């Protein structure tokens, strides 16, 4: 049985061949650490790391490439930013759609004296911008929110939120895990002060590589969460004040960075707009096919019914079949790989009226085809009709 991968919101698969090739080449022909080895192969790797920082800066309009910091993933990035920037007594606004990558660090900080309020969203995941003013407090320091929902695909209005933050003297911290590499992100235009990204989704790199970008004024306001050897100013036991060493202790995931470099190169060559258009065309085809099943009372489409302001993520609930059983059948009988459950986002599911059962999530990527969409629809129809 052929398998069809529709879980790209978790991690994109397959990766472009050049990504695996870049990782393999580093592991077999280079292998050196940067900032340690004083020989040509180490300098060659260091040059590729610098190029990767510059590519990310160009992609996100992030200013100086030295302010790109590599981490394992977006979760680590958000932990570093939130725990380094927020202090006891501070107040922060988050959206009602947040992933636990944002909310669990904030809940930890809440126990230490940081408070938060959720900006309401409607039952399609759209942010209620008109409520933000009323949520402000004298001690509000930042808005921290995702760019798009990993549950229903709704894109949140980051540029408008950035304008609000700029007008009220607040910092904007953005999780772009679901949009980087598919949607245009401009840190300057959107007034983003800290951008957390992951490499293994839309940027098409391997798992285990991510990072963040800080605007210059955020750097002294953010304390490092981790510390250790950096290969720089080794005569002192104090944390370097300069970037990126301030936030990059220990041995870096250089195979991951080499893969990310290749993914970013492939992305630039292919074009973000082409990728987005392809994913949304597949999404439109899938949504259209789901309408009949919804009309018959077999499923409920969660979130938006159109392709405006959304990613290629579609969640459904099967109304006459237990969700996990339907997802199991999709895989075991039809080879359709999806994700089922609460997707690490309980607040989003409460907002979307899908808590506590969750959803079955289908997420499309560049390497999916119309035939994949049709196969998923046919499988759902047979499952819903008990065929």
């Amino acid at each position: 049985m052929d398998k069809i991968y529709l879980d790209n919101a978790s991690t994109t698969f397959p990766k472009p061949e050049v990504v695996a090739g870049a990782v393999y080449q580093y592991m077999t022909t280079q292998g050196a650490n940067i900032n340690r080895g004083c020989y040509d192969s180490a300098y060659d790797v260091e040059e590729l790391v610098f190029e990767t920082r510059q590519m990310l800066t160009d992609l996100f309009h992030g200013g100086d490439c030295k302010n790109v910091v590599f981490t394992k993933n977006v979760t680590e990035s958000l932990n570093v930013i939130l725990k380094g920037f927020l202090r006891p007594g501070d107040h922060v606004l988050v959206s009602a759609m947040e992933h636990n990558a944002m909310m669990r660090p904030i809940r930890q900080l809440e126990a230490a004296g940081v408070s938060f309020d959720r900006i309401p969203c409607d039952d399609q995941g759209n942010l209620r911008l008109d409520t933000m003013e009323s949520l402000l407090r004298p001690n509000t320091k930042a808005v921290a929110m995702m760019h798009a929902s990993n549950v229903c695909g709704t894109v949140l209005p980051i540029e408008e939120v950035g304008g609000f933050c700029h007008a009220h003297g607040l910092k904007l911290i953005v999780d772009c895990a679901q949009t980087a590499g598919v949607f245009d992100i401009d840190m300057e235009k959107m007034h983003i002060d800290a951008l957390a990204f992951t490499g293994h989704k839309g940027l098409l790199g391997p798992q285990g590589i991510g990072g963040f970008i800080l605007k210059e004024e955020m750097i002294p306001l953010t304390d490092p969460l981790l510390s250790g050897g950096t290969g720089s100013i080794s005569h002192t036991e104090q944390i370097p004040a300069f970037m990126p060493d301030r936030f990059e202790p220990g041995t870096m995931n250089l195979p991951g960075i080499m893969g990310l470099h290749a993914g970013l190169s492939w992305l630039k060559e292919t074009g973000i707009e082409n990728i987005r258009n392809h994913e949304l065309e597949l999404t439109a085809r899938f949504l259209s096919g789901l309408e009949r099943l919804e009309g018959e009372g077999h499923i409920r489409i969660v979130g938006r019914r159109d392709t405006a302001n959304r990613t290629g993520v579609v969640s459904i609930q099967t109304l006459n079949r237990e969700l996990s059983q339907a997802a199991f059948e999709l895989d075991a009988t039809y080879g359709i790989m999806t994700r089922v459950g609460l997707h690490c986002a309980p607040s989003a599911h409460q907002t979307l009226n899908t808590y506590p059962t969750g959803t079955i999530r289908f997420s499309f990527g560049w390497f999916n085809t119309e035939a994949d969409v049709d196969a998923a629809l046919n499988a759902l129809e047979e499952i819903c009709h008990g065929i």
Side-chain angles (χ1 to χ4, degrees), residues 335-378:
I336 309 295
M337 293 179 277
T338 63
R339 183 172 176 181
V340 64
L342 291 171
H343 315 309
C344 302
S347 177
H349 283 282
Q350 289 165 359
T351 301
L352 298 167
N353 298 315
T354 56
Y355 187 89
T357 54
T359 63
I360 301 174
R361 186 183 72 185
F362 301 77
S363 46
F364 304 104
W366 173 258
F367 293 101
N368 288 125
T369 65
E370 290 184 351
D372 294 341
V373 173
D374 294 344
L377 288 168
N378 290 336

Side-chain angles (χ1 to χ4, degrees), residues 46-343:
E46 189 167 1
E47 180 64 27
L48 283 169
V49 173
F50 174 82
E51 286 181 10
T52 309
R53 294 189 205 274
Q54 188 61 60
M55 293 165 79
L56 289 162
T57 299
D58 293 343
L59 180 65
F60 299 127
H61 303 272
D64 195 326
C65 73
K66 75 177 183 351
N67 296 339
V68 175
V69 175
F70 290 112
T71 63
K72 294 192 297 293
N73 45 52
V74 76
T75 300
E76 182 178 332
S77 297
L78 289 169
N79 271 268
V80 173
I81 296 165
L82 294 167
K83 294 175 180 177
F85 178 69
L86 295 172
R87 306 284 187 270
D90 288 342
H91 175 250
V92 61
L93 298 180
V94 299
S95 84
M97 297 298 293
E98 293 308 313
H99 188 279
N100 278 341
M102 183 76 77
M103 291 314 304
R104 286 183 173 172
I106 287 178
R107 286 294 192 181
Q108 277 189 299
L109 289 165
E110 184 182 34
V114 173
S115 59
F116 74 93
D117 279 299
R118 299 185 202 270
I119 307 165
C121 297
D122 64 23
D123 60 5
Q124 292 190 342
N126 300 300
L127 192 79
R128 292 280 309 281
L129 279 164
D130 59 318
T131 67
M132 292 184 66
E133 191 86 35
S134 65
L135 296 173
L136 290 178
R137 302 181 188 177
N139 59 333
T140 303
K141 194 171 182 181
V143 175
M145 62 188 294
M146 57 171 41
H147 191 189
S149 170
N150 68 306
V151 177
C152 65
T154 300
V155 176
L156 304 185
I158 291 297
E159 186 170 351
E160 289 83 351
V161 173
F164 178 89
C165 290
H166 184 69
H168 290 84
L170 307 176
K171 300 300 184 186
L172 177 58
I173 300 166
V174 173
D175 165 7
C176 68
Q178 293 295 320
T179 54
V182 182
F183 285 76
D184 294 324
I185 299 171
D186 188 327
M187 290 184 67
E188 286 298 324
K189 183 179 179 182
M190 296 177 170
H191 298 288
I192 299 172
D193 297 283
L195 183 74
F197 63 88
T198 198
H200 67 101
K201 299 181 191 279
L203 299 183
L204 299 164
Q207 288 97 329
I209 188 65
F212 61 89
I213 306 177
L214 297 181
K215 281 193 176 175
E216 203 70 39
E217 56 270 24
M218 279 287 286
I219 296 168
L221 301 176
T222 308
D223 293 333
L225 180 64
L226 304 172
S227 59
T230 58
S232 58
I233 58 168
S234 296
H235 64 283
T236 175
E237 296 175 346
Q238 302 304 311
I239 297 173
F242 53 84
M243 296 289 284
D245 299 45
R246 178 174 172 82
F247 297 102
E248 281 186 349
T251 302
M252 304 172 73
N253 178 7
L254 292 170
I257 295 174
M258 298 303 104
L260 180 58
H261 181 281
L264 289 166
S265 298
W266 185 93
L267 188 67
K268 183 176 181 180
E269 181 178 338
T270 305
I272 284 179
E273 184 176 0
N274 292 329
I275 293 170
R276 180 172 65 253
N277 289 341
H278 175 70
E279 292 183 6
L280 291 179
E281 285 169 4
L282 297 181
T283 302
R285 186 181 186 92
F286 189 59
L287 287 168
S288 177
L290 290 175
E291 287 178 357
R292 183 165 62 85
L293 287 174
E294 185 173 49
E296 293 172 349
H298 292 294
I299 68 164
R300 175 195 164 206
I301 302 171
V302 177
R304 303 182 65 93
R305 266 68 171 176
D306 57 21
T307 56
N309 297 318
R310 70 169 300 135
T311 66
V313 172
V314 180
S315 276
I316 67 167
Q317 289 187 310
T318 49
L319 303 181
N320 301 317
R321 260 320 166 92
E322 201 277 327
L323 285 177
S324 60
Q325 179 62 32
F328 172 79
E329 290 182 38
L330 281 168
D331 180 40
T333 304
Y334 302 95
I336 309 295
M337 293 179 277
T338 63
R339 183 172 176 181
V340 64
L342 291 171
H343 315 309

